[in-house]
Amino acid sequence: MKKRVLICDDDLDFLSIYKLALEEVGMKVYTRSHCRQILEILEEVKPDFILMDNWIPDAGGIVTTRVIKSHPDFNKIPVIYISANPNIKILAKEAGADSYLVKPFNINELTEVLNHFSE
């Protein structure tokens, strides 16, 4: 069965590029340009992984990741925090993310992180 990835990022070009790249490596990809109603989105998509942008509208990546990680049905889903912010390591830790990637990153870096959580 294909792994399911939810990408939350307000950069539509980023969403398109990484959706295509992840589909090429056999993943089912869902995208959102906001984080409104994140719990309903997770219930609908049932992702195996989440890529969460730091500056995602409406609540932002830190608050949204905390909501996910505090919910008993979704707190085991790995959240990979993504940002070009030079303080991403600190932000990811503050959010409670499982890992992080500095933008821009290549598909090999991304699949390596996702594979780590597949084992």
Side-chain angles (χ1 to χ4, degrees):
M1 177 156 46
K2 288 184 177 186
K3 293 289 185 178
R4 303 163 70 87
V5 180
L6 172 64
I7 306 173
C8 296
D9 197 306
D10 61 335
D11 182 333
L12 299 181
D13 291 333
F14 176 89
L15 289 177
S16 296
I17 291 167
Y18 284 94
K19 182 177 190 317
L20 289 172
L22 288 171
E23 287 174 342
E24 283 292 315
V25 296
M27 296 189 176
K28 178 74 176 158
V29 181
Y30 301 85
T31 62
R32 296 294 186 275
S33 60
H34 60 81
C35 57
R36 287 184 301 276
Q37 301 170 313
I38 190 65
L39 298 178
E40 289 84 357
I41 292 169
L42 296 177
E43 186 64 40
E44 174 190 332
V45 172
K46 297 180 180 22
D48 296 297
F49 313 101
I50 301 166
L51 298 180
M52 180 63 65
D53 182 39
N54 184 55
W55 295 110
I56 187 81
D58 296 283
I62 290 175
V63 170
T64 303
T65 300
R66 286 178 178 167
V67 167
I68 294 166
K69 290 302 187 176
S70 68
H71 196 282
D73 294 339
F74 306 120
N75 63 8
K76 301 285 190 256
I77 301 170
V79 175
I80 295 90
Y81 213 67
I82 54 176
S83 179
N85 188 306
N87 296 319
I88 187 171
K89 184 175 182 177
I90 294 166
L91 295 170
K93 184 176 181 177
E94 185 179 333
D98 298 280
S99 188
Y100 65 90
L101 284 168
V102 179
K103 288 181 180 178
F105 49 84
N106 66 47
I107 192 63
N108 292 333
E109 291 173 299
L110 177 55
T111 55
E112 185 177 310
V113 169
L114 296 180
N115 287 335
H116 169 77
F117 289 106
S118 293
E119 298 169 350

